[in-house]
């Protein structure tokens, strides 16, 4: 393993050749290359951080600038008369190259030395150049440990009371500008490389194009304090070689757990290491991880039991895997039941608690429920798709169901096969889309109950549909492995078509990043779950980015918050909820902490943004359907200054519960958009306008610790501390306040209460 200030190169034995893996510390990318023979050694150029030289068993030295293979012979000359050699006798010796007859000094490893005990076996170690050190935290050296599964940075720090730049720890070090060219050296030149300072305000800047790296490790010999050694807590692992394991189940009642791929090799390892300064590698961590999400520590928690709806019975678990399983709006919840007649229970959110054991008034749908959805602009209208190829639209009375409903308000007929999914238009009122096993998508105008459009072009089962945020386009995913985008007002055929998920288990899609991208949750050819991101302008080019999730048979159902860019993915029958932030540029997917439910999910549906409590920094509130209850879950962003409105988290949100136009207007070619409102309460001040706090010095200046005190002052301080600890010795003791009796009274009183039982010979005292 070798490292420059930005790159790490290490080898792994995968017969018949050895692969060289380049690891970019800024974006954690993976670049493999295959030499023709076994790599025996390698090294980065001290003057060009992206230039790597390798030698291999085929007697060839290769020069690899910017990961391109160019066969050249190269020799690196190291100036200085002394070198350190290590042998198999566990001993380190110092030699003078001008006199090799004997070593100058030697020491045995393990005697009078500081140790850094690692939890895994070491396969290689590389030193990071000094330019990457955190000089303000007194880090004097950092090495990268290569293990069987990861790379672990180990920081060496000198403990100082004041965290600032210390001149005695950092003498001027060798710069990165070469002193001369190879031709000049060959002609006898002996110029030395210019030294530069490591002081942050005097950072050396490259003078020429080849000089890309700022500094190299110094060979300073000045004595320093005892050095503390520990693997950094903030940057535990640069690269995990193995696949990411599933997050452990938290025994607590619904909690969030960290699931970052940059995790320690073992949880016990992190706990056993000495707690050195955690700020030593904080600046390097941002370089190692690349961009990080401000929502990475998001916390999901089940709300108080008083908000739960319990004692649910006979849930219908036969809805398709791509269906949400139930649906919610701001006022009520609709849950399909496994009772003959396709019954649907309606629960009012304003009346939480235990449902009665007796039968509830329900909606009699007549046939089994396949999918259902509330009208986003009418909290009383519920659309239900049945397995008889019909859609029934029900009107729930105000105040909830008092009697069983048997007659729908509207009946939509037209499909020839069982309906698979339905989706309301996000902007136009009374406009509904439906997909069926007859391989068609139909648009319905609920104002008159008529079919207004028929979309074709699918060759196999349609998994899902998704309207774009502006309501102009409709995306579909099909079992034939295609992603299709329709413009229903212009053509019945897809306007774009591209390769979709390879797996046939199921898929879901949602528009993200203001409708510029389409996020697809599906399976690959090995039935592993993955997320793929498609550009809305070039679906035919395939996914611009993708990330593997895990292996599981359930389809991940995404919920996307357009205000924060956070997508929450849940799956039926599972307990873990995955959370990512989606950004329209590399790295596209930024993983956040996951949420673990206490029991397997039967469904997960989310409420509008207006239902979030901004005082607790909630960015999403969902309802979790379990085997016998509906439990609200709040997803919060941890913040210190909660008394202020977090305006960096809460941008103006769309009023998605009010229509922008009618179905007739949309069909005639009109477009619209939701108006936006601020979620800021009137009594809260934005955090951007919060008064600036004066910085507090964490440590006292060194002059306080170095101040000389006389023996008399030290004695006085010691006595004062002892008196303060013991308290006032003149205070009376507690027993001094007790009241007793005279000796004569005590004796006479005892004599009067004694008796001898002649039967058993015992003396009884009362």
């Amino acid at each position: 393993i070798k490292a420059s200030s930005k790159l790490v190169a290490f080898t792994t034995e995968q017969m018949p050749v050895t692969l060289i893996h380049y690891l970019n510390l800024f974006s954690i990318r993976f670049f493999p290359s295959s030499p023709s023979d076994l790599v025996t050694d390698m090294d980065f150029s001290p003057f060009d951080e992206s230039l790597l030289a390798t030698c291999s068993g085929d007697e060839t030295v290769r020069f690899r600038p910017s990961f391109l293979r160019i066969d050249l012979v190269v020799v690196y000359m190291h100036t200085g008369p002394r070198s350190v050699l290590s042998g198999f006798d566990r001993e380190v010796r110092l030699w003078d190259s001008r006199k090799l007859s004997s070593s100058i000094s030697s020491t045995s490893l393990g005697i009078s030395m500081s140790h850094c005990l690692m939890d895994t076996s070491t396969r290689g170690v590389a030193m990071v150049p000094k330019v990457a050190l955190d000089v303000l935290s007194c880090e004097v050296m950092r090495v990268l440990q290569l293990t069987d599964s990861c790379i672990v940075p180990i920081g060496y720090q000198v403990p100082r009371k004041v965290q600032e730049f210390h001149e005695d720890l950092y003498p001027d070090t060798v710069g990165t500008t070469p002193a001369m060219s190879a031709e000049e050296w060959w002609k006898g030149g002996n110029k030395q490389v210019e030294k530069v300072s490591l002081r942050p305000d005097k950072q050396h800047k490259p003078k020429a194009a080849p000089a890309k790296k700022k500094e190299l490790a110094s060979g300073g010999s000045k004595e320093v304090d005892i050095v503390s050694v520990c693997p950094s807590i903030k940057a535990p692992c640069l690269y995990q070689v193995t696949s990411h394991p599933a997050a452990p189940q938290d025994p607590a009642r619904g909690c969030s757990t960290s699931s970052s791929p940059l995790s320690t090799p073992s949880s016990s390892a992190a706990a056993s290491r000495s707690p050195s300064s955690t700020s030593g590698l904080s600046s390097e961590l941002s370089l190692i991880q690349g961009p990080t999400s401000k929502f990475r520590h998001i916390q999901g928690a089940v709300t108080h039991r008083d908000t739960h709806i319990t004692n649910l019975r006979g849930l219908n678990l036969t809805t398709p895997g791509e269906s949400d399983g139930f649906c919610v709006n701001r006022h009520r919840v609709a849950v399909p039941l496994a009772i003959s007649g396709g019954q649907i229970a309606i629960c009012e959110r304003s009346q939480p608690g235990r449902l009665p054991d007796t039968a509830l008034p329900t909606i009699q749908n007549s046939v089994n429920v396949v999918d259902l959805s509330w009208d986003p602009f009418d909290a009383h209208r519920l659309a239900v798709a049945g397995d008889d190829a019909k859609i029934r639209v029900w009107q729930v009375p105000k105040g909830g169901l008092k009697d069983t409903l048997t007659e729908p308000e509207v009946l939509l007929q037209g499909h020839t096969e069982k309906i698979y999914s339905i989706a309301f238009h996000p902007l136009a009122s009374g406009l509904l889309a439906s997909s069926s096993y007859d391989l068609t998508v139909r648009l319905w105008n609920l104002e008159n109950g008529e079919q207004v459009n028929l979309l074709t072009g699918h060759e196999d089962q349609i998994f899902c549909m998704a309207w774009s945020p502006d309501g102009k386009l409709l995306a579909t995913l099909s079992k034939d492995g295609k992603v299709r985008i329709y413009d229903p007002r212009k053509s019945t055929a897809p306007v774009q078509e591209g390769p979709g998920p390879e797996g046939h288990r199921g898929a879901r899609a949602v528009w993200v990043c203001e409708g510029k991208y389409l996020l697809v949750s599906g399976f690959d050819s090995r039935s592993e779950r993955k997320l793929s991101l498609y550009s809305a302008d070039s679906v035919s080019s395939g996914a611009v980015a993708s990330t593997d999730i895990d292996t599981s048979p359930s389809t991940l159902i995404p919920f996307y918050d357009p205000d924060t860019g956070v997508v929450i993915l849940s799956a039926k029958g599972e307990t873990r909820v995955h959370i990512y932030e989606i950004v329209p540029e590399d790295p596209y997917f930024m993983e956040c902490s996951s949420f673990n439910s206490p029991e397997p999910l039967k469904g997960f549906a989310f409420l509008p943004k207006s239902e979030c409590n901004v005082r607790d920094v909630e960015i999403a509130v969902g309802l979790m359907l379990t085997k016998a209850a509906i439990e609200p879950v709040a997803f919060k962003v941890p913040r210190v200054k909660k008394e202020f409105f977090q305006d960096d988290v809460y941008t103006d949100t769309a009023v998605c519960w009010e229509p922008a136009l009618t179905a007739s207007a949309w069909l005639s070619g009109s477009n619209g958009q939701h108006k936006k409102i601020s979620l800021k309460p009137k009594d809260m001040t934005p955090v951007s306008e919060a008064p600036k706090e004066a910085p507090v010095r964490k440590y006292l200046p060194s002059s306080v610790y170095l101040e000389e005190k006389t023996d008399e002052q030290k004695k006085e301080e010691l006595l004062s501390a002892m008196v303060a600890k013991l308290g006032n010795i003149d205070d009376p003791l507690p027993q001094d306040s007790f009241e007793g009796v005279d000796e004569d009274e005590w004796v006479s009183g005892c004599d009067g209460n004694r008796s001898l039982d002649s039967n058993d010979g015992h003396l009884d005292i009362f």
Side-chain angles (χ1 to χ4, degrees):
I1 179 172
K2 293 290 183 179
S4 68
S5 61
K6 295 181 180 179
L7 298 173
V8 179
F10 62 96
T11 61
T12 57
E13 292 187 1
Q14 300 179 2
M15 299 305 291
V17 299
T18 298
L19 295 181
I20 302 174
H21 304 280
Y22 299 94
L23 182 62
N24 191 323
L25 300 187
F26 288 99
S27 60
I28 313 299
R29 289 185 174 181
F30 197 60
F31 303 94
S33 62
S34 301
S36 59
D37 208 336
L38 184 71
V39 173
T40 56
D41 199 7
M42 56 188 170
D43 196 9
F44 282 100
S45 168
F47 307 120
D48 188 347
E49 59 195 8
S50 63
L51 202 58
L52 182 72
T54 64
C55 55
S56 54
D58 60 355
E59 301 180 357
T60 303
V61 177
R62 291 176 173 84
F63 205 43
R64 305 173 186 276
S66 303
F67 317 121
L68 298 178
R69 289 185 53 185
I70 302 176
D71 291 343
L72 295 175
V73 176
V74 62
V75 178
Y76 288 140
M77 299 301 299
H78 300 277
T79 59
R82 297 186 176 185
S83 60
V84 177
L85 302 178
S86 177
F88 292 100
D89 54 355
R90 309 290 294 176
E91 187 179 62
V92 177
R93 297 185 181 185
L94 185 65
W95 299 76
D96 188 337
S97 59
R98 297 165 296 187
K99 184 180 179 181
L100 298 176
S101 58
S102 62
S103 61
I104 300 175
S105 178
S106 64
T107 182
S108 299
L109 297 179
I111 301 177
S112 301
M113 298 177 64
S114 297
H115 291 276
C116 178
L117 300 179
M118 305 305 299
D119 302 281
T120 55
S121 59
T122 300
R123 301 303 179 190
V125 174
M127 182 180 294
V128 177
K130 274 201 170 179
V131 67
L133 301 182
D134 189 350
V135 296
L136 296 181
S137 297
C138 304
E139 185 184 25
V140 295
M141 185 172 66
R142 188 187 312 164
V143 296
L144 302 179
Q145 180 203 22
L146 177 65
T147 68
D148 291 328
S149 60
C150 61
I151 299 175
V152 183
I154 305 171
Y156 291 76
Q157 296 171 322
V158 177
R160 293 290 174 92
K161 294 179 179 178
V162 182
Q163 292 203 354
E164 57 186 25
F165 183 80
H166 295 269
E167 296 280 0
D168 58 324
L169 298 183
Y170 302 103
D172 291 349
T173 187
V174 177
T176 58
T177 304
M180 58 188 139
S181 64
E183 291 79 4
E184 291 175 338
W185 177 85
W186 189 257
K187 294 178 180 179
N190 288 310
K191 297 178 182 179
Q192 299 297 313
V193 176
E194 179 184 359
K195 291 191 175 183
V196 295
S197 173
L198 289 176
R199 179 181 286 276
D201 56 358
K202 297 181 180 180
Q203 283 295 312
H204 172 65
K205 296 182 179 180
K207 296 180 180 179
K212 296 180 181 178
K213 194 167 59 172
K214 292 184 177 179
E215 299 163 13
L216 288 177
S218 172
S221 59
K222 188 172 181 178
E223 293 185 359
V224 297
D225 302 312
I226 298 176
V227 178
S228 63
V229 185
C230 80
S232 170
I233 298 175
K234 281 199 171 185
C237 185
L238 294 182
Y239 178 73
Q240 194 86 14
V241 176
T242 58
S243 59
H244 310 321
Q249 185 94 302
D250 196 308
R253 176 72 179 179
C255 58
S256 296
T257 57
S258 175
S259 60
S260 172
L262 302 178
S263 55
T264 52
S266 64
S267 57
S268 60
S272 63
R273 292 161 180 166
S274 57
S276 177
S277 172
T278 59
S279 62
L281 299 177
S282 58
S283 61
E284 179 69 8
L285 182 58
S286 61
L287 302 180
I288 294 174
Q289 291 183 332
T292 57
S293 171
K294 63 181 176 182
F295 306 105
R296 61 187 178 277
H297 299 305
I298 187 173
Q299 299 171 351
V302 179
T303 59
H304 193 271
R305 189 173 177 83
D306 291 344
T307 61
H308 299 184
I309 299 174
T310 59
N311 199 33
L312 282 173
R313 298 184 176 185
L315 296 180
N316 181 9
L317 305 180
T318 61
T319 56
E322 294 75 34
S323 169
D324 293 340
F326 75 121
C327 61
V328 304
N329 60 25
R330 293 187 296 170
H331 303 287
R332 49 191 58 88
V333 184
V335 183
L337 303 177
I339 303 176
S340 60
Q343 298 186 37
I344 303 171
I346 304 297
C347 304
E348 298 294 317
R349 291 192 57 230
S350 60
Q351 301 173 8
R354 179 182 175 87
L355 297 177
D357 294 334
T358 57
L360 296 172
T362 60
I363 294 177
Q364 296 277 3
N365 194 60
S366 303
V367 295
N368 292 332
V369 177
V370 178
D371 197 13
L372 70 171
S373 177
W374 288 106
D375 188 330
F377 313 120
D378 186 349
H380 300 278
R381 185 154 63 178
L382 178 69
V384 181
D387 59 5
D388 61 349
K390 298 177 183 179
I391 300 174
R392 294 167 175 83
V393 181
W394 303 87
Q395 190 73 22
V396 178
K398 293 183 179 180
L401 284 182
K402 304 301 181 182
D403 300 308
T404 299
L405 292 183
T406 57
E407 292 297 327
E409 181 186 46
V410 179
L411 181 64
L412 305 177
Q413 302 183 68
H415 284 293
T416 58
E417 298 281 348
K418 183 173 74 171
I419 298 174
Y420 198 77
S421 62
I422 57 176
F424 276 97
H425 194 276
L427 295 174
S429 61
L431 188 62
L432 181 71
S434 62
S435 66
S436 168
Y437 281 92
D438 60 11
L439 307 184
T440 65
V441 173
R442 300 173 189 252
L443 301 186
W444 308 87
N445 186 351
L446 301 187
E447 295 175 359
N448 51 28
E450 295 180 356
Q451 176 183 313
V452 295
N453 208 337
L454 175 65
L455 307 181
T456 59
H458 299 91
E459 300 176 0
D460 207 333
Q461 175 188 347
I462 304 170
F463 285 137
C464 76
M465 303 175 294
W467 287 101
S468 62
D470 58 8
K472 297 179 181 179
L473 304 175
L474 180 69
T476 65
L477 297 176
S478 176
K479 195 174 182 179
D480 58 11
K482 296 292 182 62
V483 178
R484 295 177 175 88
I485 295 182
Y486 291 85
D487 189 341
R489 292 178 294 184
K490 293 183 178 180
S491 173
T492 60
V495 295
Q496 288 193 71
E497 185 175 305
E502 299 176 359
H504 302 297
R505 290 180 178 270
R508 283 288 294 263
V510 63
W511 295 78
V512 299
C513 302
E514 300 179 347
K516 298 177 181 177
Y517 291 88
L518 184 68
L519 178 67
V520 174
S521 164
F523 297 84
D524 61 13
S525 58
R526 298 173 297 178
S527 296
E528 294 182 357
R529 296 192 297 194
K530 67 185 304 181
L531 294 179
S532 302
L533 198 64
Y534 294 81
S535 174
D537 297 330
S538 57
V539 172
S540 58
S541 301
V544 297
S546 61
T547 181
D548 295 332
I549 305 295
D550 54 18
T551 302
S552 180
S554 300
T555 303
L556 287 171
I557 302 174
F559 163 77
Y560 178 72
D561 178 22
D563 298 339
T564 59
V566 171
V567 62
I568 302 175
L569 301 124
S570 61
K572 296 178 182 178
E574 297 186 5
T575 58
R576 184 180 180 187
V577 176
H578 303 266
I579 305 175
Y580 289 84
E581 181 184 1
I582 309 299
V583 293
E585 56 188 10
D586 191 50
Y588 297 102
F589 304 97
M590 292 192 286
E591 189 173 8
C592 304
S593 299
S594 60
F595 165 74
N596 285 338
S597 66
E599 55 182 299
L601 301 174
K602 306 302 179 184
F604 214 131
F606 286 83
L607 298 170
K609 196 65 172 285
S610 59
E611 298 299 305
C612 295
N613 184 357
V614 298
R615 299 181 188 274
D616 284 340
V617 202
E618 295 177 357
I619 65 170
V621 176
L623 297 185
M624 179 175 63
L625 178 65
T626 62
K627 185 171 66 173
I630 299 174
E631 304 175 2
V633 179
F635 293 89
K636 306 176 183 180
V637 178
R639 288 293 173 95
V640 176
K641 299 180 180 180
K642 284 189 175 182
E643 65 273 16
F644 296 100
F645 177 72
Q646 310 294 322
D647 53 350
D648 62 323
V649 173
Y650 297 106
T651 59
D652 290 350
T653 189
V655 185
C656 59
W657 52 92
E658 295 181 2
L661 69 169
T662 63
S664 301
W666 184 85
L667 290 170
S668 63
S670 300
N671 294 310
Q673 60 181 4
H674 288 302
K675 64 180 182 180
K676 293 191 174 184
I677 59 172
S678 173
L679 297 177
K680 185 182 82 68
K682 295 181 179 180
D683 59 342
M684 293 186 73
T685 303
V687 70
S688 59
E689 301 175 8
K692 303 296 182 182
E693 297 181 357
V696 180
R697 190 181 181 94
K698 189 175 181 180
Y699 300 98
L700 295 174
S702 57
S703 58
V704 175
Y705 299 97
L706 300 177
E707 181 182 356
E708 292 292 338
K709 297 179 181 179
T710 63
D711 293 341
E712 197 66 30
Q713 289 175 324
K714 295 178 181 178
K715 182 178 179 181
E716 189 67 27
E717 289 181 1
L718 180 60
L719 289 176
S720 299
M722 294 175 62
V723 171
K725 188 174 183 179
L726 295 175
N728 192 347
I729 60 176
D730 295 333
D731 293 340
L733 297 174
Q735 57 265 37
D736 293 341
S737 61
F738 294 167
E739 293 183 2
V741 298
D742 294 337
E743 188 71 21
D744 297 339
E745 296 179 4
W746 172 255
V747 174
S748 60
C750 291
D751 293 342
N753 291 289
R754 293 182 180 181
S755 64
L756 182 63
D757 193 332
S758 58
N759 295 328
D760 56 10
H762 288 86
L763 177 66
D764 298 324
I765 300 177
F766 303 91

